[in-house]
Amino acid sequence: MAEKFDLLVIGDGAAGGSAASAAVKAGKRVALVEKHKPGGTCLNYGCDPTKTLLNCAHRLYQARHDAEFGLQIGQAQPDWPVIRARVHSVIDQLRGGSLEQAFENIRQEGVTVFRGEACFLSPNRVRVGQQEIEASQFLIATGTVAAVPPVKGLREAGFITNVEAVDLAELPENLAVIGGGVIGIEFAQMFSRLGVKVTILEHGPNILDTEDQEFANHLRQLLEKEGIKILTGATINEIRTSQTVKILELVDQDKRPLEIKAGQILVAAGRQPVLEGLGLSEIGVQTTEHGIKVDQYLRTNLPNIWAAGDIADPLQFTHVAEEQGELVAANAFATTPKPFNRRAIPWVAFTQPELAHLGQTEEELKEAKKPYRVARLNFDEVERAVTDGITAGMVKILADEQGLILGAHILAEHGGELIAPLVLMMRHNLTLDQLSDTILPYPTLSMSLGKVAGKLKKS
C-alpha cells in the first residue's frame, strides 16, 4: 500500500525545505524526496560555499594591500587545503551537521524523508525507488544545474561547474571562465585573488547584462584593474587539449582569431531546469526549456501540483525560492490562494565591491519610455567610505515624479546590506522625501542613501 500525505515536496533546496517546514508547522502530514544532499544548490554548491570562498579571497587581497593604511602585515599566502576545510566546516554548520544528521534533523521536524528520485505515476502518486507515495498536493522544487554550451571539444577537454569549483583538489595556474554573468564574475574574482590567472569569455557585448550598464561597466574596470582579463563579444569555435593544457580557439568582438590557454575551464553560461526523470510529460504538466509553467499562485496546469524556486522562476535567488516555498505551503491548502508578490525583489553580485540591484535599470526605463528622475553619488563623497578607503563605487536611484523608487543600484563595499532599506521603501511605497528627512548616523555608509535622496528632493 502507498503511504499517503497531505503534501509531498520533491527537492530539499530553499523552496522545498521552506515549504516542508511551513506545512508541518501548519499541522499537515508532509513528505520530502531528496536524491542527493539536503539544502540544495545554495547550501552545498552555491551561495554559502562561494561566499565563504569569496570572504577568504577578499581577506587575502586586503592583507596584501594594507600598506597604504600604514600596516605591514607581511607576505600573506593562501593555504588552499585549509580554505577547503573551512568551506566544509561552514556547510556542516549551516545544515546542522553531517549529511545523515541533516536528514535526521528534517525528520525531527516531523517530515517523512524519502531518499532517491521521484517519478510521477499519476497526478496523485509518485514512485521513489520501489516505494509508491500518494499525496493530495505536490510541490516540485528540483532547481537547476549549469547549462553546458555546445562548444566543439568542450566535453572532450573537460570542464568544471560551480559544483566542482567550490571544492577543487588544487588551484589551477590559469582559468578560463565561460560566461560573464553573476556566477562567472564572482568565481573569477575569487580565483584571481587566490593567485589564479583568470580570463572571462562572454559571448554577449557586456558582462552582467541584466544590470544597469553604467554599474556593470564600472565593475568591469575594477576587475580588469585587478588583473582579470575580460573578453566580451567572444565566440569560442573549438577547444582542444595539449598535454595538460586546454586550448580555447576563439574570435574576439572584432572577429580577430585568438587562442587562450588554461589549466581549467569553468562553465558559467547560464542554468537549465532539472526535469529529467520526473515523468511530467506523461501526466500532462506543462513545461518549457526554462522550467515548469506556473500561474501567479505558483500552481501548474494541474490543480494539485505546484512548482517553486529556480525550476519555475527566472528570478533564481535563494530569497525568492524560500518565499515561494512558504507561499505554496499556504496556497496548497487555502480556499483563496495569494499571488506571489514580485514587487521589490533585490539581488546582489558578491564581488568586492558588491553590486546590488533593485527594480528597473535606466536602460529598461528608457526602453519603456517611462518618465523618471535620477540621482547619482560617488562614494568618494561619503565620509565613512573615505575614512575606510573604500571609495570605488557609487549609488544610483531612479524615481518617479512622486518620489517613489523605480530602481536602485549600488556598487559599494557592503552594497547588499545598503540596498535593504530601499527594498523596504519600494515594497511599502515610501518616498525619497521621507528618506531625505530621516536622520541617519554619522559616519556610516548608509548616509549615502540619504544624500542621493536629497539630490532628488532638490531636483
Side-chain angles (χ1 to χ4, degrees):
M1 295 289 293
E3 289 197 64
K4 297 182 180 180
F5 297 88
D6 297 317
L7 174 67
L8 187 143
V9 178
I10 304 174
D12 183 44
S18 64
S21 180
V24 163
K25 290 177 182 177
K28 304 302 179 183
R29 189 162 188 249
V30 181
L32 172 71
V33 180
E34 174 55 52
K35 69 178 181 180
H36 194 33
K37 296 180 179 181
T41 294
C42 182
L43 173 61
N44 295 290
Y45 315 114
C47 320
D48 300 322
T50 58
K51 302 315 166 277
T52 305
L53 287 168
L54 282 164
N55 181 50
C56 293
H58 296 339
R59 285 171 177 265
L60 176 63
Y61 182 84
Q62 193 63 55
R64 289 175 169 175
H65 292 79
D66 268 344
E68 64 184 273
F69 297 94
L71 303 175
Q72 300 299 329
I73 293 177
Q75 187 63 32
Q77 295 293 337
D79 189 331
W80 182 244
V82 175
I83 292 173
R84 286 181 68 197
R86 172 165 173 74
V87 171
H88 288 281
S89 175
V90 168
I91 293 172
D92 286 346
Q93 180 179 344
L94 291 175
R95 72 181 170 204
S98 65
L99 288 176
E100 291 304 323
Q101 183 59 53
F103 279 118
E104 182 57 30
N105 294 341
I106 297 171
R107 295 186 186 99
Q108 289 179 4
E109 285 188 19
V111 179
T112 301
V113 177
F114 295 91
R115 298 178 67 173
E117 296 189 31
C119 178
F120 279 92
L121 303 176
S122 74
N124 296 99
R125 182 178 291 220
V126 300
R127 181 178 61 242
V128 181
Q130 301 302 313
Q131 177 103 30
E132 293 190 9
I133 311 164
E134 289 186 2
S136 59
Q137 303 288 326
F138 291 83
L139 169 61
I140 304 170
T142 49
T144 60
V145 294
V148 182
V151 176
K152 182 180 179 182
L154 175 59
R155 293 187 182 275
E156 292 78 6
F159 60 90
I160 59 173
T161 67
N162 63 293
V163 172
E164 297 81 17
V166 297
D167 195 28
L168 286 175
E170 58 183 18
L171 294 175
E173 182 178 347
N174 299 278
L175 176 70
V177 179
I178 300 178
V182 171
I183 295 174
I185 294 300
E186 287 185 357
F187 272 113
Q189 188 180 47
M190 183 271 288
F191 280 117
S192 176
R193 289 188 165 189
L194 291 175
V196 179
K197 296 177 182 177
V198 178
T199 301
I200 298 172
L201 304 172
E202 167 57 45
H203 182 68
N206 303 296
I207 63 169
L208 300 169
D209 61 357
T210 62
E211 303 299 327
D212 189 291
Q213 282 307 296
E214 179 182 7
F215 282 67
N217 291 336
H218 193 164
L219 179 56
R220 175 177 180 166
Q221 293 171 8
L222 295 175
L223 295 174
E224 289 177 326
K225 187 176 180 180
E226 287 189 21
I228 299 172
K229 186 175 183 179
I230 301 175
L231 297 176
T232 50
T235 300
I236 305 171
N237 293 325
E238 184 178 0
I239 300 175
R240 54 189 174 85
T241 57
S242 177
Q243 297 178 342
T244 60
V245 177
K246 306 174 195 294
I247 303 172
L248 296 85
E249 297 180 355
L250 59 137
V251 293
D252 66 12
Q253 60 185 359
D254 298 318
K255 306 303 179 184
R256 295 174 300 189
L258 289 175
E259 190 175 272
I260 303 294
K261 295 181 180 180
Q264 189 58 267
I265 299 172
L266 171 63
V267 171
R271 309 285 293 176
Q272 64 183 31
V274 178
L275 297 170
E276 187 177 357
L278 288 171
L280 299 182
S281 60
E282 286 78 3
I283 63 169
V285 173
Q286 294 177 356
T287 64
T288 71
E289 62 178 330
H290 303 295
I292 298 174
K293 293 180 67 175
V294 295
D295 62 16
Q296 61 181 325
Y297 309 105
L298 305 177
R299 181 165 42 198
T300 71
N301 58 302
L302 299 188
N304 70 313
I305 299 180
W306 310 72
D310 294 5
I311 193 71
D313 203 300
L315 296 173
Q316 296 179 353
F317 308 108
T318 298
H319 45 288
V320 171
E322 287 182 346
E323 188 76 14
Q324 290 185 343
E326 293 183 6
L327 181 63
V328 167
N331 280 350
F333 304 101
T335 303
T336 305
K338 296 180 179 180
F340 177 63
N341 189 342
R342 296 182 174 278
R343 179 170 174 76
I345 296 177
W347 62 82
V348 184
F350 289 94
T351 50
Q352 192 180 47
E354 296 174 353
L355 177 54
H357 177 126
L358 173 66
Q360 293 175 286
T361 65
E362 193 163 4
E363 290 81 10
E364 288 169 337
L365 291 172
K366 287 179 179 178
E367 185 176 351
K369 295 182 171 56
K370 190 170 184 177
Y372 68 93
R373 295 182 295 146
V374 60
R376 298 170 179 80
L377 180 77
N378 293 326
F379 270 87
D380 59 9
E381 302 175 57
V382 180
E383 289 84 346
R384 182 56 182 271
V386 173
T387 64
D388 289 354
I390 51 173
T391 57
M394 55 185 174
V395 180
K396 176 196 284 188
I397 297 180
L398 307 151
D400 65 12
E401 288 301 319
Q402 288 72 45
L404 296 174
I405 296 174
L406 299 173
H409 307 275
I410 302 176
L411 181 65
E413 194 90 2
H414 310 301
E417 310 294 338
L418 288 172
I419 202 76
L422 301 181
V423 177
L424 181 68
M425 291 180 61
M426 188 175 183
R427 183 71 175 254
H428 296 285
N429 293 317
L430 302 179
T431 68
L432 291 169
D433 281 358
Q434 291 172 299
L435 174 58
S436 177
D437 292 339
T438 300
I439 299 175
L440 299 173
Y442 180 92
T444 64
L445 296 179
S446 66
M447 291 188 66
S448 62
L449 306 181
K451 289 187 176 187
V452 177
K455 287 187 176 184
L456 281 169
K457 184 177 180 180
K458 297 173 184 177
S459 63

